[in-house]
Each structure stands twice: as C-alpha cells, then as structure tokens.
Amino acid sequence: MDPQPGVLDLSRADAAPKALFAEINSKGLGITGGLKKVTNDMKTHKNPDLRQHAPVPFKAKQPPTFKPMGKPKAAPKMPPKLVLEGKKWIVEYQENQNNLVIDNTEMKQTIYIYKCTKSALIVKGKINSIVLDSCKKMGVAFESVVSGVEIINSDSIQVQAQGTMPNVSIDKTDGCLVYLSKECLDCQIVSAKSSEMNVARPKGDDSGDFDEYPISEQFRTFWDEKKKTFVSESAEQMG
C-alpha cells in the first residue's frame, strides 16, 4: 500500500543504507574496485597548475552610513482636568493656574493631583487624603485631612495645613516645604530618597509667622549593644 502524500515512508528510507551496508559486508574492501581512480595529473599537490586561481579583485568596503537623528517629538499636551469621579477628585495637567479651588468636599473623598506645574490649589472642607504625583512648583493649601498627604516624584512642592493632618509622606521628591498648623504640630513626616525638605511650624505668638526647620537627608546606622539592634540617627545628631 502506497504511503499517504506528505507521510514519510520509513521502510523505503531505510532500504538504501541497509543495501549499502549489506554490500560492504559481502564484498569487504573489494567494494572500492568500482570507484574511479584519481591520476597524478588530477592531484593538486603534484600539479601546481591546478592550484593557480584568478586573483579576486579588491573591493573596498563602503563606510557605514548613518541617518541623522531628528529631534524627538514632544509628547502631546494633555488637556487640564479637575473633576470629581466617584469619591476621588482628579486634578491633572494644570499649568500656570493659581486660582484652582475644590469645595463641597466630603470626609470620604480623596484628591489625586498629577503632573501639575506652576499652579496652586485650595481645598475647602475636610477630606480623607491628598496625593501629589509628578508635580513641579505646585502649592496646595487645605483645611484638614483624615489620613494624610503623600508627595511622590515631584519637585518644588509646598503644602499647608490649616487644621489637622496626622502624617506626611515624601518620596523621590526634591524641594518640599510643609507648613503645619497649631492643630497638627504632632504630625509625623516620613521621607525617602528625597532632598531639600523643610517643615515650618507657627511661632508661639499671634504674628502668623513660621519657624522653618530642615528635615535630615543623611543618616548614620550603627549597632547598639544595649538594644541589640541597629540604630539610625540623623546627621544633625552626629554633629
């Protein structure tokens, strides 16, 4: 029965090698008697004329060509946005806006500020939290937050609490000034991979002025034999 098209006939594929090996086994070295012999005039080591070849013409390599790179295309400018989506206020791509206001807030609402530049935002009422992400030269003043304020991947940021604020998180930010009110002097500030951070607290009088203090950027870590653990202290404590 002939094999189906496209299917390898293994029985026929093995037939030729098997026949060759069978002939070798039967004839031994005598199987080479039927091969064509090579005479001396066909051997290159005895006939130098056979080793002569026409010279290959030299062809210089062309230097690689490089296309000049054009200027990278600027990212398309996104439209500014200030809307309430569910329980989250979205403030995006605001530029050179110093009169942004969010009012009619609720305590369960949050505010997410993204890629805003050279602008200022005022938040009225008590909200849950505020996040500033990838902003530059941005200022935010608010009454009170329940959870806290987070600043990440930003540059030259100012935030001011007029009421309560339990904590502030500063991450990957260069240049940040946090104004505390009398109601949030116990605020905890946690920072990481940031520089030029300062915190301002109101003076004891009623002048409305603030005293400004730097937040340490450098720390020394050492083993405390009494506490049996590693302890970190700021550069100011080292001095």
Side-chain angles (χ1 to χ4, degrees), residues 195-232:
S195 63
E196 301 178 23
M197 300 171 291
N198 293 274
V199 57
R201 55 169 292 164
K203 292 184 176 181
D205 52 22
D206 296 329
S207 62
D209 295 331
F210 289 80
D211 289 325
E212 193 170 319
Y213 302 86
I215 299 175
S216 181
E217 302 173 18
Q218 297 180 344
F219 295 87
R220 178 176 73 97
T221 302
F222 60 93
W223 177 260
D224 192 317
E225 187 63 29
K226 294 182 180 180
K227 297 181 179 179
K228 300 297 181 183
T229 186
F230 282 98
V231 177
S232 297

Side-chain angles (χ1 to χ4, degrees), residues 107 125-130 142-150 159-170 178-191 199:
M107 195 166 56
K126 191 173 186 178
I127 60 173
N128 185 277
S129 63
I130 298 175
F142 53 91
E143 293 184 11
S144 295
V145 292
V146 178
S147 179
V149 176
E150 181 179 359
V159 295
Q160 181 174 5
Q162 298 173 344
T164 59
M165 178 176 60
N167 61 75
V168 177
S169 174
I170 307 172
V178 179
Y179 288 92
L180 302 180
S181 67
K182 294 181 179 180
E183 289 79 7
C184 63
L185 294 179
D186 57 348
C187 173
Q188 296 186 10
I189 302 174
V190 179
S191 61
V199 57

Side-chain angles (χ1 to χ4, degrees), residues 4 18 62 64 89 131 148-149 156 164 169 171-172 178 191:
Q4 297 178 359
K18 287 181 179 180
Q62 295 293 333
W89 286 93
V131 176
V149 176
S156 301
T164 59
S169 174
D171 189 15
K172 300 177 183 178
V178 179
S191 61

Side-chain angles (χ1 to χ4, degrees), residues 77-114:
K77 190 173 182 180
M78 303 298 292
K81 189 176 182 180
L82 199 164
V83 295
L84 177 62
E85 297 181 356
K87 296 181 180 180
K88 177 185 290 188
W89 286 93
I90 305 296
V91 185
E92 294 180 339
Y93 306 107
Q94 299 288 343
E95 186 174 356
N96 296 317
Q97 299 294 327
N98 295 320
N99 56 353
L100 300 174
V101 178
I102 295 179
D103 53 10
N104 297 323
T105 58
E106 298 178 2
M107 195 166 56
K108 293 182 179 180
Q109 294 176 348
T110 62
I111 298 177
Y112 180 70
I113 308 170
Y114 180 69

Side-chain angles (χ1 to χ4, degrees), residues 53-70:
H53 301 282
V56 179
F58 174 76
K59 185 178 181 180
K61 293 184 177 180
Q62 295 293 333
T65 57
F66 299 95
K67 293 182 179 180
M69 296 180 62

